[in-house]
Every structure is written in structure tokens, then in C-alpha cells.
Amino acid sequence: MGKITLIKDDITKVTAEAIVNAANSSLLGGGGVDGAIHRAGGPTILAECQKIRAHQGGCRVGEAVITTAGKLPASYVIHTVGPRWQDGHHDEENLLKKAYLSCFKLIEEHGIKTVSFPNISTGIYHFPKESAATIALAVITQGVQDNPGIEKVNLVCFDEENYRLYFKLMGEH
Ligand code: AR6
């Protein structure tokens, strides 16, 4: 866990080479962390998202796209789309895993060394937080092991409940 740091903060305030956004398939922004990232980063991020939309028609659940980061303290924003929780029988766990994995694919392709993740799907998409944290930690731990170029991963929790959960689960490793 040496390269993985737990932080309780607003992800737009944390410096890293890449910031992961919990976006939606339209890539046109929204509430939660997506809204915060577009607000803090400024209009260039949305302009790039619109170009991606024109080219490939948005971003499917479980996939990810990359833009620059505008005014954020970062070089890139990786926009991934987590699943909306329905009842647990709509492939939600696998799709959440895929969303994190898609980020690691872009991290590798772009030689990114430091990255901050929010708790994807655990807000407006209502994914149960403990299960989401378990999936996130498993994929992130593996991703860091598989890519020695990664120097630091920030797990940025905004709400107290997620922060406590991650703190507990990371203590168990
Ligand atoms: N910094 C870090 N984490 C944050 C911030 C912030 N500034 N704001 C919220 N969170 P959510 P989702 C946490 O709802 O569930 C958007 O409208 C929040 O506490 O942002 O994946 C998109 O456009 C929660 O733990 O994303 C989609 O339509 C986590 O970020 C939809 O919401 C994720 O909550 C995606 O829903």
C-alpha cells in the first residue's frame, strides 16, 4: 500500500498529474465531483469532451476518456463512467471494476505517475459504499503492482462515510 494514500478533501484541490472524474455517458458534465471538476477546471475541459462526443458519441459505462485539465492542479482529467446502482443484478460490480481498469489503461498509455481517484459511483449513482470501496481497493492495488511507473495514487474521499470505510479497509491489508 506504500504508493496509495488516503485523503479526505475536494479532489479539485489535490495536486496530481491526473484527476479521475466520475462522469456520465454524455460527457457533458453533471453534479457531484463531475460538476466540481468542470467548475474548477473551466470551459476547456467541456470543449474537449464535446470533441470526443463528436468523434465517438460519448463514453460507455465502464470505459474512460482523457482530456487536459484546464485550470486544475493537474495535466489530465480521466473521465470514466461508473455504473448506476440498480439492484446488484445488472453487472454493477463488474462495470465498476471495468471503470477503474479503464483508468489504469489510460494511465499506462500516457505514462502518468501520480493520479487521484474519487469514490466512483458512490454518490448520485448510489453504489453501496463498502462494496464499491472493496472493488476500488482491489483494482487499484493490482494496477499499482502491474505498472511500476506509477509513483502515487491518491484515494480522495469527500464524505466522511467513505473516508472511514477506506481507512478501515486499508488497515486490513
Ligand atoms: N471531490 C471529491 N469527491 C467528491 C467531490 C469532490 N469535489 N464531490 C463529490 N464527491 P458523484 P457518481 C464524491 O455523485 O455517484 C454526476 O452528475 C461523492 O461524495 O460525484 O459516480 C455525473 O455527471 C461520492 O463519494 O458521482 C453522473 O451523472 C463520489 O464523489 C453522476 O453524477 C461520487 O459521487 C455520477 O454519479
Side-chain angles (χ1 to χ4, degrees):
M1 286 265 163
K3 294 177 175 175
I4 303 174
T5 308
L6 182 63
I7 297 175
K8 187 167 182 298
D9 206 343
D10 174 344
I11 204 165
T12 66
K13 306 270 196 285
V14 179
T15 301
E17 207 180 334
I19 295 176
V20 173
N21 182 19
N24 60 61
S25 291
S26 80
L27 296 176
L28 293 178
V33 70
D34 194 9
I37 283 172
H38 281 283
R39 266 195 308 279
T44 58
I45 300 177
L46 184 60
E48 284 182 55
C49 286
Q50 277 163 337
K51 275 192 197 149
I52 295 168
R53 260 174 74 85
H55 175 68
Q56 66 173 55
C59 181
R60 281 197 288 257
V61 178
E63 296 186 353
V65 300
I66 192 163
T67 65
T68 56
K71 293 182 283 181
L72 289 166
S75 301
Y76 301 102
V77 175
I78 296 173
H79 308 261
T80 190
V81 183
R84 186 189 297 275
W85 182 262
Q86 298 183 62
D87 54 7
H89 299 292
H90 287 78
D91 211 24
E92 292 95 330
E93 295 194 346
N94 187 45
L95 288 167
L96 185 62
K97 191 175 164 190
K98 246 185 104 183
Y100 279 98
L101 279 172
S102 297
C103 296
F104 276 97
K105 192 158 172 268
L106 288 172
I107 289 166
E108 188 169 0
E109 280 170 18
H110 292 263
I112 291 163
K113 294 185 174 66
T114 61
V115 57
S116 297
F117 281 92
N119 309 133
I120 300 164
S121 284
T122 66
I124 292 163
Y125 282 177
H126 291 296
F127 202 106
K129 288 181 179 172
E130 180 145 15
S131 162
T134 304
I135 291 166
L137 280 172
V139 181
I140 290 168
T141 306
Q142 189 66 48
V144 168
Q145 263 175 35
D146 291 348
N147 181 345
I150 297 174
E151 291 168 5
K152 195 171 195 272
V153 175
N154 299 314
L155 303 180
V156 184
C157 300
F158 195 59
D159 58 276
E160 185 68 28
E161 194 188 346
N162 265 317
Y163 181 76
R164 283 177 196 273
L165 267 169
Y166 274 84
F167 190 83
K168 184 187 82 156
L169 291 169
M170 288 170 79
E172 288 167 5
H173 278 267

Coordinates of all heavy atoms in Angstrom, one line a residue, residues 3 14-20 73-76 78 107 110-117 149-154:
K3 N 2.4 3.2 -2.1 CA 2.1 4.2 -3.1 C 0.7 4.8 -3.0 O 0.4 5.7 -3.7 CB 2.4 3.7 -4.5 CG 3.9 3.4 -4.7 CD 4.1 2.8 -6.1 CE 5.6 2.6 -6.3 NZ 5.8 1.9 -7.6
V14 N -6.5 18.9 -4.9 CA -5.3 18.0 -4.7 C -4.5 17.9 -5.9 O -5.0 17.6 -7.0 CB -5.9 16.6 -4.3 CG1 -4.7 15.6 -4.1 CG2 -6.8 16.6 -3.1
T15 N -3.2 18.3 -5.8 CA -2.3 18.2 -7.0 C -1.9 16.8 -7.4 O -1.6 16.0 -6.5 CB -1.0 19.1 -6.7 OG1 -1.4 20.4 -6.3 CG2 -0.1 19.1 -7.8
A16 N -2.1 16.5 -8.6 CA -1.7 15.2 -9.2 C -1.5 15.4 -10.7 O -2.1 16.3 -11.3 CB -2.7 14.1 -8.8
E17 N -0.8 14.5 -11.3 CA -0.7 14.6 -12.8 C -2.0 14.4 -13.5 O -2.4 15.0 -14.4 CB 0.3 13.6 -13.3 CG 1.0 14.0 -14.5 CD 2.0 12.9 -14.9 OE1 2.5 12.1 -14.0 OE2 2.3 12.8 -16.1
A18 N -2.8 13.5 -12.9 CA -4.2 13.2 -13.5 C -5.2 13.1 -12.4 O -4.9 12.6 -11.3 CB -4.1 11.9 -14.2
I19 N -6.4 13.7 -12.7 CA -7.5 13.6 -11.8 C -8.6 12.8 -12.5 O -8.9 13.0 -13.6 CB -8.1 15.0 -11.5 CG1 -7.0 15.8 -10.7 CG2 -9.4 14.9 -10.7 CD1 -7.4 17.3 -10.4
V20 N -9.1 11.8 -11.8 CA -10.2 11.0 -12.4 C -11.5 11.6 -12.0 O -11.8 12.1 -10.9 CB -10.1 9.5 -11.8 CG1 -11.3 8.7 -12.3 CG2 -8.8 8.8 -12.3
P73 N -5.1 21.8 -10.8 CA -3.7 21.5 -10.5 C -3.3 20.1 -11.0 O -2.9 19.2 -10.2 CB -3.6 21.6 -8.9 CG -5.0 21.2 -8.5 CD -5.9 21.6 -9.6
A74 N -3.4 19.9 -12.3 CA -3.2 18.6 -12.9 C -2.9 18.8 -14.4 O -3.2 19.9 -14.9 CB -4.4 17.7 -12.7
S75 N -2.4 17.8 -15.1 CA -2.2 17.9 -16.5 C -3.4 17.2 -17.3 O -3.7 17.6 -18.4 CB -0.9 17.2 -17.0 OG 0.2 17.8 -16.3
Y76 N -4.0 16.2 -16.7 CA -5.0 15.5 -17.3 C -6.2 15.3 -16.4 O -6.1 15.2 -15.2 CB -4.6 14.1 -17.7 CG -3.4 14.0 -18.6 CD1 -2.1 13.7 -18.0 CD2 -3.5 14.1 -20.0 CE1 -1.0 13.5 -18.8 CE2 -2.4 13.9 -20.8 CZ -1.1 13.7 -20.2 OH 0.0 13.5 -21.0
I78 N -9.1 12.2 -16.4 CA -9.6 11.0 -16.9 C -11.0 10.9 -16.6 O -11.4 10.8 -15.4 CB -8.7 9.8 -16.4 CG1 -7.3 9.9 -16.8 CG2 -9.4 8.5 -16.8 CD1 -6.3 8.9 -16.2
I107 N -3.8 5.6 -17.8 CA -2.6 6.0 -17.0 C -1.3 5.4 -17.6 O -0.3 6.1 -17.8 CB -2.8 5.5 -15.6 CG1 -3.9 6.3 -14.9 CG2 -1.5 5.5 -14.8 CD1 -4.4 5.7 -13.5
H110 N -0.4 7.0 -21.1 CA 0.1 8.4 -21.1 C 1.3 8.5 -20.1 O 1.7 9.6 -19.9 CB -1.1 9.3 -20.7 CG -2.1 9.4 -21.8 ND1 -2.1 10.4 -22.7 CD2 -3.1 8.6 -22.1 CE1 -3.1 10.2 -23.6 NE2 -3.7 9.2 -23.2
G111 N 1.7 7.4 -19.6 CA 2.9 7.4 -18.7 C 2.7 8.3 -17.5 O 3.6 9.0 -17.0
I112 N 1.5 8.3 -17.0 CA 1.1 9.1 -15.8 C 1.7 8.5 -14.5 O 1.6 7.3 -14.3 CB -0.5 9.2 -15.7 CG1 -0.9 10.1 -16.9 CG2 -0.9 9.8 -14.4 CD1 -2.4 10.0 -17.2
K113 N 2.3 9.4 -13.7 CA 3.0 8.9 -12.5 C 2.2 9.1 -11.2 O 2.3 8.4 -10.2 CB 4.3 9.6 -12.4 CG 5.3 9.2 -13.5 CD 6.7 9.8 -13.2 CE 7.7 9.3 -14.2 NZ 7.4 9.8 -15.6
T114 N 1.3 10.2 -11.2 CA 0.5 10.4 -10.0 C -0.9 10.7 -10.4 O -1.2 11.4 -11.4 CB 1.1 11.7 -9.2 OG1 1.0 12.8 -10.0 CG2 2.5 11.4 -8.8
V115 N -1.8 10.1 -9.7 CA -3.2 10.2 -10.0 C -4.1 10.2 -8.8 O -3.8 9.5 -7.8 CB -3.6 9.0 -11.0 CG1 -3.3 7.6 -10.3 CG2 -5.1 9.0 -11.4
S116 N -5.2 11.0 -8.9 CA -6.2 11.0 -7.8 C -7.5 10.4 -8.3 O -8.0 10.8 -9.3 CB -6.5 12.4 -7.3 OG -5.3 13.0 -6.8
F117 N -8.1 9.5 -7.4 CA -9.4 8.9 -7.7 C -10.4 9.4 -6.8 O -10.2 9.4 -5.5 CB -9.3 7.4 -7.6 CG -8.7 6.6 -8.7 CD1 -7.3 6.4 -8.7 CD2 -9.4 6.2 -9.8 CE1 -6.7 5.7 -9.7 CE2 -8.8 5.5 -10.8 CZ -7.5 5.2 -10.8
G149 N 5.6 2.3 -13.2 CA 5.8 3.7 -13.4 C 4.9 4.6 -12.5 O 5.2 5.8 -12.4
I150 N 3.9 4.0 -11.9 CA 3.1 4.8 -11.0 C 3.8 5.0 -9.7 O 4.2 4.1 -9.1 CB 1.7 4.1 -10.8 CG1 1.0 3.9 -12.1 CG2 0.9 4.9 -9.8 CD1 -0.3 3.1 -12.0
E151 N 3.9 6.3 -9.4 CA 4.6 6.7 -8.1 C 3.6 6.9 -7.0 O 3.9 6.7 -5.8 CB 5.4 7.9 -8.3 CG 6.6 7.6 -9.2 CD 7.3 8.9 -9.7 OE1 7.0 10.0 -9.3 OE2 8.3 8.7 -10.5
K152 N 2.4 7.4 -7.3 CA 1.5 7.8 -6.2 C 0.0 7.7 -6.7 O -0.3 8.3 -7.8 CB 1.8 9.2 -5.8 CG 1.2 9.6 -4.5 CD 1.8 10.9 -4.1 CE 1.5 11.3 -2.6 NZ 0.6 11.8 -2.1
V153 N -0.8 7.1 -5.9 CA -2.3 7.1 -6.1 C -2.9 7.7 -4.9 O -2.8 7.3 -3.8 CB -2.8 5.7 -6.4 CG1 -4.3 5.8 -6.5 CG2 -2.2 5.1 -7.6
N154 N -3.7 8.8 -5.1 CA -4.4 9.4 -4.0 C -5.9 8.9 -4.1 O -6.5 9.1 -5.1 CB -4.5 11.0 -4.2 CG -3.1 11.6 -4.1 OD1 -2.3 11.2 -3.3 ND2 -2.8 12.5 -5.0

